[in-house]
């Protein structure tokens, strides 16, 4: 085990080697002290964050509770103003003055039933008192036109409910703030015309007493502030009038931005001259539905005092641990000398073993790499060689490359690369070798190899630097004969598709040009059937890669459209034959015309009809026999020659090089197609 505590710290080995040995003994002691101080600092920071977060949560809960309490108080005053408005809604000013005693008694009774309600007053549109909860009678000349709440409600666009600033009561000069609204009912005035107001007085000390219950047991300050910074109530209360909140206060900025709640650290909302009060942690919450906010503030010094108490308790608990660390550091110092000697011995032994292990690992890795390269080199997947750029010759070639070139290694094990390459490819080889001299390898290129028997083998030649062998390149030679054959087959197929497409278009044009019909619908039906037969034949060809089609499958695909369950039947008989690609479309069109004629006039036009189609190979001819039975009786051969007959003559005679003969017995058409097997079947013959 390594006893050196710095053995695994990077960058310390050089520093430790320059220190005197006596100084090294004190390093564990210093380390223990540093760790103890770091632990104390971390503990202090965590305790501070915990104390601060707890205070912030308490203040937020206090602000939420204060906002809810203020909302309940002001809601009761809003309700009182609403009840007074309903009481006076239909009464004109003159009647209110005439019934002042009765109405004053009712309003006073309402005020007496609601807690925290100081008084109420109703004024006309000039600010003169109509009736008040007290006193009675109202002294002559009492008017409220100069009050803030009256001016605000009398202005156009006044709010539905207005909370006024703290002012002296007109009755007893005690401070109050008001909850006011416009009087309802127009009394003959135009709509939206100001018709007086109702104001309910709110005592700030009553609001402060509810805040005091929330802040019970703490020194927190709770304040009710209007959106424009005017203070309405505060606990603990002040003997002097409440000042406005400074415009630079973060609280004003938060209210202007419409924030509902939050916290910040700043100066007290009210700072006494020369008081020396420090910063406070302040939480605020907007009163729902009103332009008011409740703040709860706590001095930062009080939070720091609580943190210090927590730290003293934590340090008292951690002191035994610090003493234990000091004792451990002292014991570590005493054992350092023996540990240092053991460390050096172990380090020297570890270095010796590590060097030996690294040498063995390097040798094993080289052996495995050589074995892997030998396995790949001797594989028969691709031809491989090692090209020596200095000697400008192939130094080593595998058996697969020898098979591809048809040559042997010389006495020194080399392969004559120049002799295995046709002269027209010597320039490509020289360009690749020049590129390898510049950057150590060449980009892949294609060429041909020349075998002794004159056969040429197309190949792709690529390279890569040989690791650990400067000036040598690994050459990979891939036989691409199959790829070239596939490309040739692809080109042939493309030419065949082009040829067949042109034939199909020519046949479609002929069908359009030569088709005759009695109506447009009949013309569309006939042309659609003929082009559909042409498309079906092309689909069969596409399924076989344009190599031809099996005869029975081709006939079935064309005749299945005419034979339905419970209807006329089609029977196919004959050996399995492959039709050449050039004969598929003409033969399909011919059979389609026969089926179309049978569906109109012959056996396929009735449910009992039967068409028998048989084929066989006789010598150099393919015979297809079409016989109909069960259809309408034939009285005489048709006299007119239609498109179907002309199409049969064109496809069988000119395109397929054959002929046909037709008889018309009473049972139905009996037709024999005689086609040259060498043209229709190509190299294919019957296999069954």
């Amino acid at each position: 085990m390594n006893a050196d505590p710095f053995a695994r710290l990077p960058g310390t080995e050089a520093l430790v080697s320059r220190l005197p040995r006596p100084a090294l003994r004190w390093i564990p002691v210093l380390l223990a002290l540093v760790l103890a101080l770091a632990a104390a600092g971390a503990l202090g920071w965590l305790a501070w964050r915990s104390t601060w977060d707890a205070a912030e949560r308490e203040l937020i809960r206090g602000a939420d509770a204060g906002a809810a309490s203020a909302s309940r108080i002001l809601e009761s005053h809003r309700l009182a103003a609403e009840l007074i408005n309903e009481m006076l809604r239909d009464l004109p000013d003159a009647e209110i003055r005439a019934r002042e005693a009765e109405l004053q008694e009712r309003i006073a009774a309402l005020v007496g039933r609601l807690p925290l309600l100081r008084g109420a007053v109703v004024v006309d549109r000039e600010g003169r008192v109509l009736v008040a909860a007290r006193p009675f009678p109202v002294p002559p000349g009492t008017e409220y036109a100069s009050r803030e709440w009256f001016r605000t409600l009398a202005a156009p666009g006044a709010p539905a409910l207005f909370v006024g600033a703290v002012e002296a009561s007109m009755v007893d000069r005690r401070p109050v703030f008001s909850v006011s609204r416009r009087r309802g009912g127009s009394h003959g005035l135009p709509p939206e015309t100001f018709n007086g107001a109702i104001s309910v007085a709110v005592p700030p000390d009553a609001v402060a007493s509810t805040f005091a219950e929330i802040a019970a047991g703490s020194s927190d300050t709770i304040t009710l502030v209007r959106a424009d910074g005017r203070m309405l109530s505060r606990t603990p209360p002040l003997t002097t009038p409440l000042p406005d909140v400074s415009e630079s206060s973060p609280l004003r900025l938060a209210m202007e931005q419409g924030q509902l709640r939050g916290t910040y650290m700043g100066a007290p909302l009210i700072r006494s001259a020369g008081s020396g009060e420090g910063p406070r942690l302040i939480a605020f919450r907007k009163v729902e539905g009103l332009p008011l906010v409740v703040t709860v503030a706590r001095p930062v010094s009080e939070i720091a005092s609580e943190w210090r108490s927590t730290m003293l308790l934590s340090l008292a608990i951690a002191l035994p641990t610090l003493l234990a660390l000091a004792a451990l550091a002292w014991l570590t110092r005493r054992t350092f000398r023996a540990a240092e000697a053991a460390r050096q011995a172990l380090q020297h032994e570890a270095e010796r073993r590590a060097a030996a292990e690294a040498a063995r690992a390097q040798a094993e890795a080289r052996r495995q790499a050589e074995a892997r390269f030998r396995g790949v080199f001797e594989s028969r997947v691709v031809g491989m060689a090692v090209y020596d750029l200095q000697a400008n010759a192939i130094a080593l070639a595998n058996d697969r490359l020898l098979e591809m070139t048809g040559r042997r290694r010389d006495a020194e094990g080399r392969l004559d690369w120049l002799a295995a390459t046709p002269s027209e490819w010597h320039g490509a080889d020289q360009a690749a070798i020049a590129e390898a001299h510049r950057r150590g390898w060449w980009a892949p290129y294609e060429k041909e190899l020349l075998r002794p028997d004159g056969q040429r083998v197309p190949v792709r030649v690529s390279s890569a630097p040989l690791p650990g062998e400067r000036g040598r390149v690994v050459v990979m030679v891939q036989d691409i004969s199959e790829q070239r054959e596939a490309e040739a087959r692809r080109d042939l197929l493309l030419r065949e598709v082009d040829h067949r497409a042109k034939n199909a278009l020519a046949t479609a044009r002929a069908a359009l040009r030569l088709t005759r019909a009695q109506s447009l619908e009949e013309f569309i039906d006939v042309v659609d059937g003929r082009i559909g037969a042409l498309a079906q034949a092309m689909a069969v060809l596409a399924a076989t890669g344009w190599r031809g089609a099996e005869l029975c499958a081709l006939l079935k695909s064309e005749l299945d459209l005419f034979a339905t369950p419970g209807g006329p039947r089609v029977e196919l008989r004959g050996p399995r034959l492959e039709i050449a690609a050039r004969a598929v479309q003409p033969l399909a069109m011919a059979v389609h015309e026969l089926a179309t004629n049978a569906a109109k006039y012959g056996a396929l036009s009735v449910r009992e009809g039967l068409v028998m189609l048989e084929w066989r190979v006789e010598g150099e001819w393919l015979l297809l026999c079409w016989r109909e039975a069960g259809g309408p009786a034939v009285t005489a051969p048709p006299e007119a020659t239609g498109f179907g007959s002309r199409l049969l003559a064109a496809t069988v005679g000119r395109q397929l090089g054959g002929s046909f003969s037709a008889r018309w017995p009473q049972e139905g058409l009996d037709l024999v197609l005689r086609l040259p097997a060498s043209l229709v079947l190509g190299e294919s013959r019957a296999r069954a």
Side-chain angles (χ1 to χ4, degrees), residues 53 120 170 176-177 201 248 261 359 404 423 453 496 528 592 598 625:
D53 292 343
M170 298 286 287
V176 295
F177 66 89
S248 61
R261 65 190 303 182
M404 294 168 63
S423 59
D453 59 4
E496 180 69 17
D528 181 69
H592 176 77
C625 303

Side-chain angles (χ1 to χ4, degrees), residues 43 157 224 415 511:
L43 179 62
L224 179 64
L415 174 66

Side-chain angles (χ1 to χ4, degrees), residues 6 9 17 203 426 497 678:
F6 293 96
L9 295 179
S17 64
H426 287 174
V497 169
S678 59

Side-chain angles (χ1 to χ4, degrees), residues 557-633:
S557 66
E558 296 294 342
L559 297 176
D560 277 351
L561 299 175
F562 299 91
T564 58
R569 295 177 295 118
V570 175
E571 293 183 0
L572 303 176
R573 299 175 185 174
R576 181 179 178 83
L577 296 177
E578 291 291 334
I579 302 300
R582 58 180 173 273
V584 170
Q585 290 180 1
L587 185 57
M589 292 296 295
V591 172
H592 176 77
E593 289 304 319
L594 291 174
T596 301
N597 184 74
K600 288 183 177 180
Y601 313 109
L604 298 181
S605 66
V606 296
R607 295 182 57 184
E608 299 79 10
L610 170 65
V611 171
M612 292 176 290
L613 183 55
E614 298 178 322
W615 63 88
R616 62 182 181 274
V617 178
E618 291 185 357
E620 296 299 324
W621 299 93
L622 169 63
L623 302 182
L624 282 86
C625 303
W626 175 285
R627 295 187 179 88
E628 299 182 19

Side-chain angles (χ1 to χ4, degrees), residues 259-613:
Q259 296 185 28
L260 299 180
R261 65 190 303 182
T263 60
Y264 68 93
M265 187 176 72
L269 297 182
I270 301 176
R271 183 188 294 273
S272 302
S275 64
E277 294 181 351
R280 301 195 176 203
L281 177 61
I282 302 175
F284 63 89
R285 174 62 188 264
K286 185 180 183 301
V287 179
E288 184 176 1
L290 294 172
L292 306 174
V293 65
V294 174
T295 68
V296 183
R298 180 177 299 175
V300 174
S301 59
E302 182 178 329
I303 301 174
S305 177
E306 184 177 352
W307 167 75
R308 284 191 293 271
S309 300
T310 303
M311 280 299 299
L312 289 175
L313 179 60
S314 301
L315 290 176
I317 297 174
L319 184 58
T321 303
L322 294 177
L323 294 176
L325 285 174
L328 178 61
W330 180 257
L331 292 175
T332 303
R333 175 181 173 275
R334 293 187 61 182
T335 58
F336 182 76
R337 291 182 178 179
E340 174 65 14
R343 184 195 69 80
Q344 291 182 358
L346 288 175
Q347 183 175 358
H348 293 159
E349 180 62 18
E351 290 175 354
R352 185 189 65 80
R353 292 185 180 183
E357 182 64 25
R360 285 195 298 269
Q362 186 176 6
E364 178 63 18
R366 185 177 181 85
R367 185 191 64 80
Q368 292 181 0
E370 291 176 353
R372 287 194 296 269
F373 178 75
R374 176 62 60 182
V376 174
F377 189 83
E378 293 178 353
S379 68
R380 306 183 66 83
V381 178
V382 295
M384 296 187 68
V386 175
Y387 193 88
D388 191 333
L389 295 175
Q390 301 301 325
N392 199 26
I394 290 181
L396 187 64
N398 70 351
D399 292 341
R400 175 57 181 152
L401 183 57
L402 296 178
E403 291 178 2
M404 294 168 63
T405 60
R407 301 177 185 276
R408 297 181 179 179
R409 302 180 183 90
D410 59 16
E412 297 180 358
R414 298 183 175 183
L415 174 66
D416 189 351
W417 184 252
L418 188 63
T421 303
S423 59
E424 64 268 24
W425 293 104
H426 287 174
D429 286 347
Q430 293 303 320
I433 294 171
E435 183 180 0
H437 276 287
R438 290 195 305 273
R439 60 178 182 175
W441 56 279
W442 62 71
Y445 67 99
E446 294 181 2
K447 57 174 283 185
E448 290 180 341
L449 294 178
L450 180 62
R451 296 170 59 88
D453 59 4
Q455 180 185 355
R456 294 195 174 203
V457 180
V459 294
R460 179 178 291 110
V461 185
S462 55
S463 69
L466 181 61
E469 298 287 344
R470 185 176 180 82
R472 290 197 167 192
V473 178
V474 178
V475 182
M476 290 156 285
V477 183
Q478 181 183 1
D479 187 346
I480 58 173
S481 300
E482 294 183 358
Q483 176 184 335
R484 292 288 178 81
E485 292 174 0
E487 292 172 353
R489 289 194 300 271
R490 179 199 62 195
D491 294 341
L492 178 61
L493 179 60
L494 290 176
R495 290 193 297 271
E496 180 69 17
V497 169
D498 180 67
H499 176 69
R500 297 302 169 192
K502 291 179 179 178
N503 286 348
L505 291 174
T507 304
R509 291 181 60 190
L512 291 171
R513 187 175 61 254
L514 300 178
T515 298
R516 300 294 184 268
Q518 299 298 323
S519 64
L520 177 61
E521 290 78 8
E522 182 183 357
F523 178 83
I524 293 173
D525 185 60
V526 173
V527 171
D528 181 69
R530 289 168 177 167
I531 294 180
L534 182 63
Q536 187 66 33
M538 294 185 69
V540 172
L541 277 175
T544 63
W546 296 85
R547 292 188 299 271
E550 201 273 322
L551 178 57
C552 184
L554 175 64
L555 298 177
K556 191 173 185 304
S557 66
E558 296 294 342
L559 297 176
D560 277 351
L561 299 175
F562 299 91
T564 58
R569 295 177 295 118
V570 175
E571 293 183 0
L572 303 176
R573 299 175 185 174
R576 181 179 178 83
L577 296 177
E578 291 291 334
I579 302 300
R582 58 180 173 273
V584 170
Q585 290 180 1
L587 185 57
M589 292 296 295
V591 172
H592 176 77
E593 289 304 319
L594 291 174
T596 301
N597 184 74
K600 288 183 177 180
Y601 313 109
L604 298 181
S605 66
V606 296
R607 295 182 57 184
E608 299 79 10
L610 170 65
V611 171
M612 292 176 290
L613 183 55

